Amino acid sequence: MRVAEVRRYGKYIVFDLDRGVLAVHLGMTGKLLFDVPANPYTRAVWEFDGFSLSLEDIRQFGRVLWSESLPEPVAALGPDPLEISRIAFNGRATSYRTAVKGLLLNQRFLRGLGNIYADELLFRARIHPERRTEDLPGSVWTTLWREMKVLLAEAIEAGGSSISDYVNTAGEKGSFQLQHQVYAREGKPCRRCGTVIEKKTLQQRGTHFCPRCQER
């Protein structure tokens, strides 16, 4: 079996094969690593000519899907945040009625945006995570769209955020966690205004924000 292309699709890593499509979701603790020996956390190993690729997943929240075409759970995801236009973003956003943090985490709204970057994005845009989407004017959605593009580009350039287990295929950690403004900084002073960063649970997800910069 031959791999024609490897691409990201939201939080999935998609392998386009000459027979079907393989989609891997790393979950919270998954890693794809080249040429490493098997260990108790190895969940799958793919052997190629001259090298191997292993999936390690301590908490077993990852997923491996195969289908003749893009697997249905993957195909049902929303557009990519790096590819969506401002007009499309604003149009999709105004069709929802929910807390803005919840919307950003909705993978059918946008695919791939996770908890870390939702918190960081709302801080950059000075929006309280509990603000209702129906109360936000078009200018605010435009700000969110613009800041989202910048934030994700910076995070990719820094190799992502290594909070606990994340590493790339070479086993190297990212460094964007050093630039976090609110995520995992509860109890610490805001780097913008000095107010103590707060954390609360919103839609079952830990949510970090500055109560002054993101006044509701």
Side-chain angles (χ1 to χ4, degrees), residues 27-168:
M28 295 179 65
T29 59
K31 308 173 186 177
L32 284 175
L33 300 170
F34 286 117
D35 295 325
V36 295
N39 62 64
Y41 304 118
T42 302
R43 308 304 175 193
V45 178
W46 293 274
E47 296 287 347
F48 298 90
D49 289 339
F51 67 94
S52 66
L53 182 65
S54 299
L55 171 63
E56 295 183 5
D57 187 5
I58 295 175
R59 299 180 67 180
Q60 301 188 54
F61 289 156
R63 303 178 72 187
V64 177
L65 306 174
W66 181 90
S67 180
E68 293 184 357
S69 57
L70 198 63
E72 192 281 329
V74 184
L77 300 175
D80 191 286
L82 289 172
E83 298 173 359
I84 191 170
S85 69
R86 177 186 62 80
I87 293 174
F89 178 81
N90 289 18
R92 290 177 66 84
T94 55
S95 66
Y96 289 84
R97 292 179 174 270
T98 184
V100 64
K101 169 70 183 288
L103 177 62
L104 293 176
L105 294 180
N106 184 339
Q107 298 299 295
R108 289 180 179 266
F109 170 61
L110 290 177
R111 65 177 186 259
L113 199 63
N115 198 44
I116 293 174
Y117 298 106
D119 282 358
E120 291 296 309
L121 173 56
L122 290 172
F123 174 80
R124 290 190 179 207
R126 294 178 176 265
I127 301 171
H128 193 283
E130 292 181 313
R131 282 284 301 276
R132 299 289 300 179
T133 55
E134 61 267 31
D135 296 334
L136 297 177
S139 60
V140 173
W141 290 115
T142 296
T143 298
L144 267 174
W145 174 82
R146 183 177 61 250
E147 293 290 349
M148 176 178 70
K149 303 279 187 175
V150 174
L151 169 67
L152 294 179
E154 290 176 357
I156 291 170
E157 179 67 22
S161 299
S162 291
I163 301 299
S164 56
D165 301 274
Y166 172 73
V167 294
N168 63 19

Side-chain angles (χ1 to χ4, degrees), residues 186-197:
E186 63 271 20
K188 297 180 180 179
C190 173
R191 290 171 172 161
R192 181 189 286 160
C193 74
T195 302
V196 174
I197 299 297

